[in-house]
Amino acid sequence: METKTTLIWTVDKNNPDQNVIDRAAQIIKNGGLVAFPTETVYGLGANGLDGTAVAGIYRAKGRPSDNPLILHVADFAMAEALSAGLPPVAGMLMDKFWPGPLTLVVPRANHIPGQVTGGLDTVGIRMPSHPVALALIKAAGVPIAAPSANRSGRPSPTRAAHVQADLQGRIDAILDGGPTGVGLESTVLDVSGEQPVILRPGGVTYEQLADLLPRVTIDPSILGKKLSRDQAPRSPGMKYTHYAPAAPLTLFEGEPARVVQAIARRAAEQLARGKKVGILAFEENAPYYPRGAVILTMGQQKNPATAANMLFALLRQFDRLKVEVILAEGLEPKGIGLAIMNRLRRAAGEIVQL
């Protein structure tokens, strides 16, 4: 594709310069692409009501065209205008979790371009809580369609440098607001049918939703069941390989002590073969792994929120360190752990269950 000059503007995440925001918003209005921080990951934004602009997102990312996008809004009125009719439960969830890392899948309004929805009769909508994201949407005056700002299949970006590494020369501008907070994409909850269904776990957990929605269920794809080639994904992250580092990743699941033992054995075998081995581990387990391995830690097991925040950055660090294999510890899929395990399973070429 044609190479662009990608502008990079540094902004104060809590008090962004309005002149910079206005310049970025003008790019959006003109049909261009701007990467911007949210509280989850960096998004790649275009005018969500302009099908040609949205098509540019797919080209820049190399994203399959049937993989739907999420529309980001700045207020409730903008969200209501994007739906053919918001279910009553949607209003309750907006009041509870917006702005924040929850995307609601609702019946789509007719004026939303098909490029946004992947041809579905529903649309995902969320209101981010990041001041830069909200300022950009307000200044643009339109809902902004935005998947994660990375090349398709790569780990999602939690820093502007990650966006630059993947999309420099492919997009018009990057707003650098520093590291993101949650570190994983938003939870996607389908409320378009009779029963609410979590299509992608994220910063709002199943347990939080179940407190309000006792009948909420988890789509089987979250736990590893893959969609067939002819099935349309109802949410980003359901069908295609995602979040993968350059080196093949093996995920070890099960009782923690057995996981550590199995990774240590596999690492020793790979090191003996002359491989450069990366290990993604919790801090308390790092001392048990063989010397010579590249060990990156994601905090302590008792604090999975730290692992969520660090996960994608660590996967990208393994790329920079040019490891040849990655062995990753799993964790219990509860709370934010469900979202972490969903991302690791989609990144893994092999899953070892112990």
Side-chain angles (χ1 to χ4, degrees):
M1 63 181 294
E2 181 183 353
T3 300
K4 300 183 177 185
T5 298
T6 301
L7 302 170
I8 303 174
W9 292 307
T10 300
V11 291
D12 184 327
K13 67 178 181 179
N14 296 314
N15 187 28
D17 185 322
Q18 191 60 45
N19 289 329
V20 171
I21 293 296
D22 288 342
R23 290 174 69 186
Q26 192 60 52
I27 292 173
I28 296 291
K29 293 177 186 178
N30 292 343
L33 304 179
V34 177
F36 61 97
T38 77
E39 76 279 18
T40 58
V41 299
Y42 273 75
L44 177 58
N47 180 350
L49 302 181
D50 180 344
T52 301
V54 172
I57 292 176
Y58 288 92
R59 287 194 302 273
K61 284 176 59 74
R63 182 184 177 94
S65 60
D66 66 343
N67 202 3
L69 304 178
I70 292 167
L71 291 178
H72 294 68
V73 301
D75 54 49
F76 293 119
M78 191 179 285
E80 290 173 3
L82 298 174
S83 175
L86 287 175
V89 70
M92 176 186 70
L93 293 165
M94 290 175 182
D95 288 339
K96 175 70 174 178
F97 295 109
W98 280 14
L102 177 67
T103 294
L104 297 175
V105 174
V106 299
R108 62 175 283 194
N110 289 333
H111 66 280
I112 297 174
Q115 291 91 336
V116 171
T117 64
L120 300 173
D121 58 3
T122 55
V123 63
I125 307 171
R126 95 172 181 98
M127 186 191 300
S129 64
H130 198 292
V132 174
L134 289 172
L136 179 63
I137 300 165
K138 289 175 183 176
V142 294
I144 292 182
S148 56
N150 55 288
R151 294 292 294 274
S152 187
R154 297 274 293 130
S156 298
T158 56
R159 291 162 175 75
H162 301 161
V163 181
Q164 190 174 357
D166 278 11
L167 298 177
Q168 177 88 29
R170 291 173 164 261
I171 64 176
D172 297 289
I174 301 170
L175 292 173
D176 182 353
T180 60
V182 177
L184 299 177
E185 300 86 350
S186 63
T187 300
V188 178
L189 179 69
D190 188 348
V191 293
S192 65
E194 293 184 3
Q195 187 166 343
V197 182
I198 298 173
L199 303 181
R200 181 180 73 188
V204 175
T205 66
Y206 165 79
E207 289 82 0
Q208 288 176 291
L209 292 170
D211 282 345
L212 292 174
L213 308 170
R215 296 177 63 237
V216 68
T217 61
I218 297 174
D219 191 275
S221 68
I222 287 175
L223 300 175
K225 182 179 180 181
K226 294 187 177 181
L227 300 184
S228 65
R229 296 174 72 93
D230 59 348
Q231 282 183 284
R234 291 179 289 151
S235 162
M238 289 187 73
K239 184 174 183 179
Y240 298 98
T241 300
H242 279 67
Y243 323 117
L249 185 149
T250 300
L251 175 63
F252 292 76
E253 301 180 8
E255 197 274 321
R258 296 183 66 190
V259 164
V260 171
Q261 291 170 359
I263 291 178
R265 283 195 302 269
R266 179 77 68 90
E269 292 168 0
Q270 293 293 318
L271 288 168
R273 294 175 185 169
K275 296 288 188 180
K276 187 171 184 180
V277 178
I279 299 177
L280 184 64
F282 288 101
E283 287 178 3
E284 55 265 47
N285 299 330
Y288 300 107
Y289 295 124
R291 295 180 64 181
V294 176
I295 303 169
L296 299 182
T297 59
M298 48 185 171
Q300 298 182 340
Q301 254 171 330
K302 65 182 180 182
N303 188 12
T306 302
N309 177 265
M310 299 175 69
L311 177 62
F312 291 140
L314 293 176
L315 293 180
R316 285 178 175 268
Q317 190 173 345
F318 280 129
D319 286 353
R320 291 193 299 275
L321 294 170
K322 300 188 184 306
V323 301
E324 296 174 275
V325 294
I326 300 171
L327 311 176
E329 294 181 12
L331 71 161
E332 189 176 12
K334 290 186 177 180
I336 195 67
L338 177 64
I340 296 169
M341 288 300 289
N342 170 258
R343 303 319 191 266
L344 282 172
R345 285 170 177 168
R346 293 210 171 271
E350 177 188 5
I351 298 175
V352 177
Q353 296 183 326
L354 301 165

